[in-house]
Amino acid sequence: MKKHVLFCIIFCAVIVSAVITGCAQPSPLYGTWNDNQGNKISFMSDNTFTASVYDDLSHETIISSGRYNVLLNALTFSTETGQTLNTEWDIRGNMLYLDWTLSDGTTKHLILYKTVSL
């Protein structure tokens, strides 16, 4: 009888954990987002990112990579060069809205559409 009860408890625990992990949704940020001006940000599931943002003043594309952290609608980018960017983000439909701070301190408002889901 004890073996039967133990088996039922283990079986139920396995089923419950499978249901919980099967229902977990990945972050809506995961994937590649870009626009028609050449701006592009890719968010990976291991909390790393790569970004290419066009600087209108210097006429250069700035390439950044590093780690990101999400807390509700706050997004923090920590680049490999030591720069930290804090912004709010919002997804409406298939569009990502956020502000990117360039190296000179100016802010660029980005509206990106999702092109690749991870």
Side-chain angles (χ1 to χ4, degrees):
M1 179 73 175
K2 287 184 179 181
K3 287 183 180 181
H4 179 68
V5 171
L6 182 60
F7 174 76
C8 288
I9 291 172
I10 292 172
F11 179 75
C12 289
V14 169
I15 295 298
V16 167
S17 66
V19 168
I20 290 172
T21 57
C23 295
Q25 293 183 359
S27 171
L29 285 173
Y30 295 163
T32 300
W33 302 80
N34 57 8
D35 64 14
N36 294 332
Q37 285 79 41
N39 301 304
K40 176 179 170 182
I41 303 176
S42 295
F43 295 93
M44 278 58 87
S45 62
D46 63 352
N47 284 43
T48 59
F49 77 94
T50 57
S52 302
V53 179
Y54 183 73
D55 185 345
D56 297 321
L57 295 176
S58 68
H59 303 288
E60 295 178 345
T61 299
I62 310 301
I63 298 174
S64 301
S65 61
R67 301 193 58 75
Y68 70 93
N69 188 32
V70 177
L71 181 60
L72 301 175
N73 69 326
L75 181 58
T76 301
F77 294 97
S78 300
T79 68
E80 291 177 345
T81 61
Q83 184 182 16
T84 300
L85 308 169
N86 296 305
T87 187
E88 292 183 3
W89 64 281
D90 186 25
I91 294 177
R92 290 180 231 144
N94 209 28
M95 306 297 284
L96 171 63
Y97 299 83
L98 63 90
D99 291 327
W100 187 270
T101 304
L102 299 169
S103 58
D104 64 358
T106 60
T107 301
K108 183 169 186 161
H109 186 67
L110 298 177
I111 302 173
L112 308 169
Y113 56 91
K114 194 166 204 173
T115 54
V116 178
S117 296
L118 299 178

